[in-house]
Amino acid sequence: HNIPKWPSNILKDITENCTVIPDFITENEEMSLLKEIEPHMKRLKYEKSHWDDAIYLYREREQRNWNENNKEVLSRIAKASFPPETIHLSYIHILDLHKDGHIKPHTDSIRYCGNTITGVSLLSDSVMRLRHKDEKDIYIVDLLLKRRSLYKLTGIGRYDFTHEILDQKESNFSGIKVQKNRRISVICRDMPQKEKPPEEL
Ligand code: AKG
């Protein structure tokens, strides 16, 4: 993490709740995931813009069924990221970002995502930038997402900060250029919190 002087409560929350585990999967596990992802993905065309205009040059799909090896990896991701008993979505979101693509600052809608977003990065390193929603040029954290690492966003990083993936020209971390190529992320989310039942009259 790359953090300027911040109020200690924000700093503590973001440091505890927005984490990256390097080498979360092995090269073999990365290959095994790609083998199951690529045949479907390569039939799709890269899109220039997303329905809410958050992503540039990407293709995506959701996958529910996986082979046994990959299932094991996916359950390790869930175990590392969600508190026990959390119900996470059974569809895994797979996002293929072109070398020249990027993801603009956004927060995931509470209609589709609960408290946690977690993802493993395949094929390329990249930089994820978190910006505070009200102080977007002051409270900024960059996370280096190395190939095969697992990131997790929860707490204020999920709700009070936007996240984005920098385009290749801007991809620097601690002053060092990060080579961003085509990147595939395998993303898990927990279920949105159920709405409170209406109060009885
Ligand atoms: C999201 O799921 O909201 C993202 O921005 C995905 C980030 C990623 O590619 O890992």
Side-chain angles (χ1 to χ4, degrees):
H1 291 196
N2 192 0
I3 300 172
K5 261 222 163 307
W6 288 25
S8 62
N9 57 332
I10 300 189
L11 182 61
K12 183 167 184 295
D13 193 312
I14 208 98
T15 312
E16 284 171 7
N17 290 312
C18 299
T19 52
V20 183
I21 305 175
D23 291 315
F24 187 79
I25 59 170
T26 64
E27 286 183 24
N28 280 341
E29 288 168 337
E30 179 187 35
M31 237 166 359
S32 165
L33 285 167
L34 286 168
K35 215 166 151 186
E36 214 172 1
I37 291 171
E38 278 289 34
H40 304 283
M41 200 55 99
K42 70 180 187 208
R43 283 193 226 123
L44 306 174
K45 285 211 174 77
Y46 284 104
E47 309 278 336
K48 285 227 163 119
S49 73
H50 192 244
W51 55 274
D52 60 1
D53 202 30
I55 319 184
Y56 177 73
L57 277 188
Y58 72 100
R59 45 193 184 182
E60 66 183 342
R61 53 188 304 276
E62 290 182 322
Q63 188 162 329
R64 191 208 263 282
N65 298 314
W66 297 84
N67 69 34
E68 287 306 315
N69 283 345
N70 292 340
K71 251 191 226 158
E72 191 276 320
V73 173
L74 294 169
S75 73
R76 239 169 58 222
I77 293 175
K79 219 163 154 190
S81 304
F82 301 120
E85 315 297 323
T86 308
I87 305 173
H88 50 88
L89 299 170
S90 46
Y91 285 96
I92 303 295
H93 180 193
I94 309 163
L95 183 65
D96 177 343
L97 197 60
H98 188 278
K99 181 173 193 272
D100 298 321
H102 61 270
I103 304 180
K104 298 179 198 169
H106 69 283
T107 36
D108 289 32
S109 164
I110 53 167
R111 271 188 293 162
Y112 309 114
C113 177
N115 291 330
T116 306
I117 306 160
T118 183
V120 77
S121 301
L122 313 180
L123 294 175
S124 176
D125 299 346
S126 64
V127 179
M128 177 178 272
R129 178 161 290 171
L130 311 180
R131 295 175 188 268
H132 193 279
K133 62 183 172 33
D134 304 321
E135 298 286 1
K136 54 185 174 5
D137 297 317
I138 298 177
Y139 298 139
I140 299 179
V141 188
D142 285 348
L143 303 175
L144 176 61
L145 306 186
K146 299 275 277 181
R147 180 176 184 177
R148 295 186 290 275
S149 67
L150 178 75
Y151 72 82
K152 176 180 81 168
L153 302 181
T154 185
I156 61 171
R158 153 77 179 99
Y159 293 108
D160 292 351
F161 281 71
T162 58
H163 56 277
E164 63 197 282
I165 297 284
L166 302 184
D167 80 7
Q168 55 154 329
K169 283 190 237 76
E170 287 176 71
S171 292
N172 293 296
F173 187 80
S174 296
I176 295 169
K177 173 89 194 140
V178 173
Q179 183 59 47
K180 178 189 157 298
N181 299 312
R182 174 187 175 210
R183 166 181 180 267
I184 293 181
S185 43
V186 175
I187 305 157
C188 308
R189 299 181 175 85
D190 59 345
M191 297 279 268
Q193 304 298 299
K194 280 216 178 70
E195 276 177 41
K196 287 205 187 95
E199 305 236 333
E200 281 184 39
L201 295 173

